[in-house]
Amino acid sequence: MAEVTVTKANFESEVLNSDKPVLVDFWATWCGPCQMLSPLIKEIAEEHPEIKVCKINVDEEMELATQFNVMSIPFVAVFKDGKVTNSSVGYQPKENLLSLVD
């Protein structure tokens, strides 16, 4: 499954109301570590259909970034039943990202 681009308009339906865990990547085009993380996020989306993978561009969706206190990127948050259950800041190996979901 491909990553879903999330905006303020579809955040509730895509993330908060999802029936499976959602891994959300807060990123920006100018962020080097975000670019390094991007292929791993894509792999997780393709290899783990049990996880919904979403991307939020912090420059375009500042309100969402502020709502979740995103101070540094890449910031990855895991949502279950509409709540953040885990998060990490900075580049992480794929295993670490997957362990956030468990």
Side-chain angles (χ1 to χ4, degrees):
M1 202 158 121
E3 307 119 317
V4 177
T5 299
V6 172
T7 63
K8 187 175 174 238
N10 68 353
F11 182 78
E12 188 173 340
S13 63
E14 293 292 348
V15 178
L16 299 182
N17 296 336
S18 175
D19 56 354
K20 51 188 172 183
V22 187
L23 188 142
V24 180
D25 176 24
F26 289 85
W27 70 286
T29 53
W30 49 264
C31 165
C34 297
Q35 302 305 330
M36 290 169 46
L37 192 66
S38 192
L40 300 183
I41 298 290
K42 187 177 178 75
E43 282 176 26
I44 291 170
E46 291 168 356
E47 296 168 3
H48 294 273
E50 74 281 8
I51 303 170
K52 183 176 211 173
V53 177
C54 299
K55 293 181 74 85
I56 296 177
N57 183 323
V58 296
D59 289 335
E60 295 170 4
E61 300 298 330
M62 284 187 167
E63 199 172 317
L64 286 174
T66 302
Q67 184 179 344
F68 293 99
N69 298 317
V70 177
M71 300 294 169
S72 298
I73 53 174
F75 178 82
V76 175
V78 175
F79 288 79
K80 289 182 184 170
D81 301 319
K83 294 181 177 42
V84 177
T85 59
N86 225 330
S87 63
S88 74
V89 176
Y91 178 85
Q92 298 286 330
K94 188 160 88 172
E95 310 77 63
N96 292 20
L97 294 172
L98 288 169
S99 72
L100 294 174
V101 179
D102 296 335

